[in-house]
Amino acid sequence: MTQEFDAIVASAQAAFTEARTPADLENAKAQYVGKSGRITELMKGLAALPVDEKKSRGAAINVAKQAIEAALNERRQALADAELQTQLKAEALDVSLPGRVREPGGLHPVSLTLERIEQIFASMGFDVADGPEVESDWHSFTSLNNPPNHPARSMQDTFYVDIDGDDGIPYNLRPHTSPMQVRFAHQHIKKYAEAVQRGEPMPEIRVIAPGRTYRVDSDATHSPMFHQCEGLWLGENVSFKDLKVVFTDFCRTFFESDDLALRFRPSFFPFTEPSAEIDIQFQSGPLAGKWLEVAGSGQVHPNVVRNMGLDPEKHIGFAFGMGPDRLTMLRYGVNDLRLFFEGDIRFLKQFR
Ligand code: DAH
C-alpha cells in the first residue's frame, strides 16, 4: 500500500522537477492535490472503507500528501529564485559608470552683461526699470515723436501682434526699449507734480531700462530677438556734455580700459535733437583701431518730454539706447550673435 503511495509521491516529484515555469508547476500540482487530483481522489475513496482501514490508509495518504506539498513548495521556491536571478542579471548595474552629476550652472553671457550694466549705472545713481515687451503703437512710436507714416518708422522693421490697441493700431513687439522713457516718467508723474506744488526743486529722472526687443532681422549680427538698454537722464540742466561724461565712464568701466576712445557721430532719431551714434575704439587687442558702434543717443526732444506729461523747460537732458548683445560680443570676442541664442551648452559653458 505504501508502495502505491511512494510511487505517487515519486511521480509528483518528477512532474514538479520537470515544470519549468510557475504555470507548469501549478498544472502539475492540480494533477496531485487539486480538486480531482490523485491524492484528492484517494481521500474521497476513504469514505466507503471500514473505520479501521480508513484510519491507517488515511494516515498513509496524509503522509504522501505532505511529501507532495513539501516537494511542491520546494520547487515553487526554486522557480522563484531562478526568476529573480534572471531578472537581476537583466538589470545588472555597471557600477563602474560615472554617476549622473548635476553640473553647477551659470548665468548666460548676455545676463552677465546686463548685470554689469546695471551695477555700473546704479553706481552713478541710475534707477533700473522694467517694462512690457508687447507695446502699444503710441508708446513704441508716436510718443517718441515718430507718428504714423513718419519715414523714421522704417528704421525699425517691426513685428505686429494680431490685437488692436485702443487707437485701432495693432500692438507691436517693442523694436526698442525707448518706450520705457515715457512709461517711466508716467509712473512717477505724481512725484513731479507734488514737488512743483510744494515749490521744491524738480526731482530728476535718472534711469536705465534693460530688456528684450524684437525686429524682423536675422543674420550673424542681427537676431529677431535681441537686447537693448535704454538710458535717460532728465534734470533742470542736463546737457550733451553730461552724456559724454556718463557714457565714457560707463564704457571705460565696462571694458576695464582707460585708453578707450569714444566718438559721437551725428545721426538722426526722431526722439532726440541733436542725435548721435556712439562709436568706441580699442587701443589694443584684436579689435584695436576699428570704430565700433555701440549706442544711439541725443538730447531728448521737447515733444517727447511733453508726452511724458512734463515741461520741456524744466526737464532737459539726454537719452541713449545701447546693445548689450553687441557689448557682450566685444567683451568676449564672440563673432556670431546667433551663438548667444542657440542654447548650445558647449558655447554657454565657457562663460560660467
Ligand atoms: N531706440 C534707438 C534704436 O533702437 C536707439 C536710441 C537712439 C535710443 C537714441 C535713445 C536715443 O534713447 O536717444 O535704434
Side-chain angles (χ1 to χ4, degrees), residues 23 35 42 50 57 64 73-74 92 104-105 112 132 139 161 203 207 219 221 225 247 250 261 290 295 318 324 342 352:
K35 253 190 212 157
L42 287 172
R57 192 172 160 81
N73 284 333
E74 199 180 310
L112 291 173
H139 280 100
V161 175
V207 65
D219 58 41
T221 53
M225 188 286 304
F247 212 84
F250 164 73
K290 273 193 207 160
F318 64 80
E342 280 167 352
R352 201 162 54 191

Side-chain angles (χ1 to χ4, degrees), residues 226-259:
F226 59 106
H227 295 84
Q228 275 199 348
C229 181
E230 198 74 9
L232 176 68
W233 187 352
L234 294 180
E236 297 214 339
N237 199 11
V238 180
S239 71
F240 215 96
K241 178 197 72 191
D242 298 301
L243 166 64
K244 283 190 156 182
V245 170
V246 164
F247 212 84
T248 303
D249 258 10
F250 164 73
C251 288
R252 292 189 173 156
T253 312
F254 184 87
F255 289 108
E256 296 169 276
S257 162
D258 276 340
D259 55 358

Side-chain angles (χ1 to χ4, degrees), residues 156 175-176 178 181 215 228 230-231 269 271-272 296-298 319-321:
Q156 298 165 337
H176 53 182
S178 301
Q181 293 188 26
R215 277 185 218 177
Q228 275 199 348
E230 198 74 9
F269 299 101
F271 29 92
T272 42
S297 66
F320 59 83

Side-chain angles (χ1 to χ4, degrees), residues 136-144 167 172 182 186 307-308:
S136 68
D137 191 79
W138 190 80
H139 280 100
S140 282
F141 302 109
T142 305
S143 71
L144 295 165
D167 52 6
N172 57 78
V182 173
H186 282 175
N307 287 331
M308 291 174 180

